[in-house]
Amino acid sequence: SSQKRNHSMPAGGPRGHSTFAGMHAPAPDPERIFSDAIDLIADDRNAEAEELLNAFIAALKTSMNGADADAGRYYWWGRALALQEEWEQALLRFEDALRTDPGHEGALWETVQILMDALDKPESAKTLLTERLLKLAPEHPDYLEALASAETLIRRREGRTVQPWSPEGEEQESNEQ
């Protein structure tokens, strides 16, 4: 069963990352391409969406030049693969982006979303959130919400439930076997 994800970036997008800097050809507008692809998918025109995304990926591959801007290109390549539900390949492209720029917030966030929503790996998502993403943006509401979701999924998997709020104001956990 395929799972649908929220394919949007957190408010503010990946900070400080110029996606197509250094390209010699006119840069395609990635947000426009993604908007068009999502519209095609919503209209059940998957073949056209795939064709659009594959052409975009081909343009990104052609633009790779070993410069810092490749992090942005890998990021968009990963997003295109994720939109096609090619989760493992998307994760590899996000890893490439992070090798080029270890603080690439967009690649980190997309990785967290795939780990949570598509691959059901809340433990890995929690680690990435706490060790990397929340260090970049400690108060980001989307990241804090994702962390809370990951922790809830982990507790459920371990058979623990969260009790309702107590008058002391502390969340209490119980083990139900």
Side-chain angles (χ1 to χ4, degrees):
S1 73
S2 68
Q3 297 186 12
K4 297 299 173 201
R5 305 175 46 241
N6 174 1
H7 293 282
S8 64
M9 274 297 303
R15 292 182 210 150
H17 298 286
S18 174
T19 305
F20 291 99
M23 287 179 60
H24 300 291
D29 176 10
E31 292 295 343
R32 178 66 190 191
I33 291 168
F34 276 79
S35 175
D36 291 349
I38 290 168
D39 288 346
L40 289 168
I41 291 167
D43 292 341
D44 204 24
R45 295 165 57 192
N46 296 335
E48 291 173 72
E50 186 175 341
E51 186 178 314
L52 174 65
L53 292 169
N54 286 337
F56 179 55
I57 289 170
L60 291 170
K61 288 179 184 179
T62 302
S63 301
M64 294 288 178
N65 61 11
D68 290 344
D70 281 354
R73 294 181 189 108
Y74 281 123
Y75 163 76
W76 286 109
W77 186 353
R79 292 234 8 231
L81 290 165
L83 195 54
Q84 296 177 72
E85 299 183 0
E86 297 285 341
W87 311 121
E88 298 294 339
Q89 289 299 311
L91 287 175
L92 290 173
R93 296 300 74 82
F94 295 136
E95 284 178 24
D96 290 336
L98 291 166
R99 260 194 295 283
T100 306
D101 176 2
H104 195 287
E105 195 171 339
L108 289 166
W109 177 240
E110 290 294 325
T111 299
V112 165
Q113 289 187 312
I114 290 172
L115 291 170
M116 287 285 293
D117 299 339
L119 301 181
D120 191 29
K121 295 184 177 182
E123 299 84 359
S124 297
K126 179 182 175 182
T127 299
L128 199 57
L129 280 159
T130 57
E131 293 180 6
R132 309 252 324 257
L133 204 46
L134 283 165
K135 288 182 179 179
L136 294 173
E139 301 300 319
H140 197 293
D142 291 341
Y143 305 164
L144 294 171
E145 182 180 339
L147 179 61
S149 295
E151 289 172 340
T152 298
L153 289 170
I154 292 166
R155 275 195 300 273
R156 286 185 182 152
R157 189 171 283 164
E158 294 172 348
R160 295 183 292 152
T161 58
V162 177
Q163 298 300 316
W165 178 82
S166 68
E168 295 80 37
E170 294 181 9
E171 187 178 88
Q172 297 178 359
E173 294 181 0
S174 69
N175 285 320
E176 293 180 1
Q177 302 296 328

